[in-house]
Amino acid sequence: MAGFPILASRRLRSTPYTERVEAAGLTGYTIYNHMFLPTSFGSLEGDYKHLKEDVQIWDVSVERQVELRGPDAHKLAIMMSARDLTNAEPGRCYYAPICDGNGGMLNDPIALCLAPDRFWFSIADSDLVLWAAGLAEGMGLDVKVFEPDVSPLAIQGPKAEDLMAKIFGEEIRSVRFFRFGMFTWRDHELLIARSGWSKQGGFEIYMHDSKLGTQLWDDIWNAGGEFNLKPGCPNLIERIESGLLSYGNDMTREDTPLNCGLDRYISLDTHDFIGKSALQAQQEAGISRKLMGVRISGDKIAPLGKPVDCLSGDTVIGMLTSAVYSPDFDCNLGFAMVSSDYFAEGTNIQVALPDGVRHATICNLPFTQ
Ligand code: THG
């Protein structure tokens, strides 16, 4: 596919950081939640190596917030989430798969409990706000559902904590994983969580006023020199190595959290939620397909533009949903949704890549070196 430019418009939104991101050496975008998401600043492998050694600033404004606010906000959050949010506490984040009535995944956001009557779902790429607003309407709930002006900026990498401490103070070091706190910056209160779509450690700043974007970027940028700060973005290689799934790529509404191996983030025997009985039935019957890891033989493969068939001989037994060459594993790694005869680690299959069929071996997730 040729790299044609994409024009911004009201539908394809730029972000509060777009000007800075482009000036900093951006080389590729994708669209996510109708908004620009950087995909590279030079090379995938260069970005990857730097992310694992130093620290990067990521424009992840596309992680839009769906805010539920009002007396029934908690009730709606619980009904929407396969993760049990009954005892959600202010200051905590929860990875929370959201299902339709058949258990099909609609999104896999991080839920943030801001207050007992105020929740954010920090969403992946689907219009969850419409589902939430529809449910609120249909259930007759007293809750406002909207997308606030919040544009997350992520600081990721092993030197993230030192950089953040320099800007926001030493207290930032005491924020634990998947917790957040409020930090003062230039007379503004910023919500900052220890989270992010990499396993290199880091923070996400939920910047709450588009007008502040440039100043926030500049302050971080100017503090970053001594840590070798560079612009970055969610990195395909790092996220596959780390077993982080991409909604819309590795899973869709066709798949349930059980198909995706997200069992530990849902509870089927506590709260009532949409999709519960379908998931219980699936659990009872056993799943017919599951997302597994694969190691693919041969030369470096090019990132996939779309899923690729997985074969056993002449039979299609699943699909490869993401794959990339990992320098640190020194092999090609991928995720594949395969049928139940192929769940066992070490099972041999083939993948029908555009440049030919290759041998691949199933493994459990997360990948181990
Ligand atoms: N940060 C924020 N919003 C997001 C993402 C994010 N929205 C879109 C997308 N990413 C949502 N999906 C995920 C998937 C995995 C994780 C976070 C968001 C994640 N998982 C950890 C893991 O798998 O080890 C830990 C989960 C846990 O222990 O609860 O971090 O990145 N704001």
Side-chain angles (χ1 to χ4, degrees), residues 39-326:
T39 53
S40 64
F41 288 85
S43 82
L44 196 58
E45 287 192 15
D47 293 353
Y48 156 86
K49 197 163 180 300
H50 178 260
L51 170 62
K52 292 178 92 166
E53 282 172 4
D54 296 312
V55 56
Q56 296 183 346
I57 180 170
W58 294 4
D59 175 0
V60 283
S61 300
V62 299
E63 297 168 354
R64 304 313 291 167
Q65 308 308 302
V66 173
E67 178 158 341
L68 315 181
R69 196 197 286 224
D72 290 331
H74 193 197
K75 189 173 174 187
L76 178 56
I78 294 168
M79 275 307 283
M80 284 173 63
S81 169
R83 173 87 177 250
D84 186 4
L85 298 177
T86 312
N87 300 313
E89 292 170 31
R92 296 189 73 148
C93 310
Y94 305 87
Y95 184 42
I98 310 284
C99 299
D100 67 14
N102 299 317
M105 300 252 312
L106 294 175
N107 206 293
D108 71 327
I110 296 179
L112 287 83
C113 177
L114 303 174
D117 62 352
R118 193 173 171 218
F119 288 79
W120 280 347
F121 285 115
S122 183
I123 62 173
D125 187 23
S126 76
D127 294 321
L128 195 70
V129 69
L130 303 180
W131 175 253
L135 289 174
E137 197 68 33
M139 291 167 70
L141 298 179
D142 185 0
V143 57
K144 286 198 178 68
V145 177
F146 60 101
E147 183 186 298
D149 177 12
V150 172
S151 300
L153 190 61
I155 305 298
Q156 300 285 299
K159 297 179 184 164
E161 189 177 294
D162 289 340
L163 171 58
M164 292 293 283
K166 182 174 169 187
I167 302 161
F168 299 103
E170 290 297 310
E171 319 85 77
I172 201 103
R173 297 186 193 276
S174 61
V175 176
R176 287 151 63 191
F177 184 63
F178 266 48
R179 309 282 174 115
F180 63 82
M182 302 304 295
F183 292 83
T184 307
W185 166 78
R186 290 182 181 265
D187 294 333
H188 303 286
E189 290 291 298
L190 294 176
L191 190 162
I192 302 180
R194 194 186 286 267
S195 58
W197 215 54
S198 86
K199 293 239 171 144
Q200 304 312 310
F203 297 83
E204 291 181 300
I205 307 166
Y206 287 76
M207 197 275 295
H208 62 271
D209 180 349
S210 289
K211 291 191 293 297
L212 304 175
T214 308
Q215 186 72 67
L216 180 62
W217 178 284
D218 288 346
D219 282 1
I220 297 170
W221 190 254
N222 293 334
E226 65 183 286
F227 307 105
N228 194 23
L229 176 69
K230 288 189 178 167
C233 49
N235 183 278
L236 183 69
I237 309 173
E238 197 279 340
R239 75 104 177 157
I240 291 179
E241 279 182 0
S242 297
L244 292 167
L245 308 183
S246 166
Y247 183 75
N249 286 319
D250 304 310
M251 53 203 175
T252 71
R253 196 176 163 194
E254 303 296 308
D255 311 303
T256 72
L258 298 172
N259 294 131
C260 302
L262 297 176
D263 311 44
R264 69 183 178 287
Y265 299 111
I266 66 175
S267 21
L268 297 183
D269 45 20
T270 52
H271 64 305
D272 276 335
F273 63 94
I274 295 164
K276 179 177 180 177
S277 52
L279 293 176
Q280 284 174 328
Q282 191 188 31
Q283 174 105 307
E284 188 83 1
I287 50 173
S288 60
R289 63 176 194 279
K290 191 174 170 186
L291 198 70
M292 301 294 301
V294 284
R295 289 165 195 263
I296 304 164
S297 68
D299 295 342
K300 275 188 194 186
I301 60 176
L304 313 177
K306 55 186 175 188
V308 154
D309 283 344
C310 294
L311 308 170
S312 177
D314 293 335
T315 313
V316 177
I317 56 99
M319 63 181 174
L320 182 68
T321 58
S322 294
V324 76
Y325 174 75
S326 156

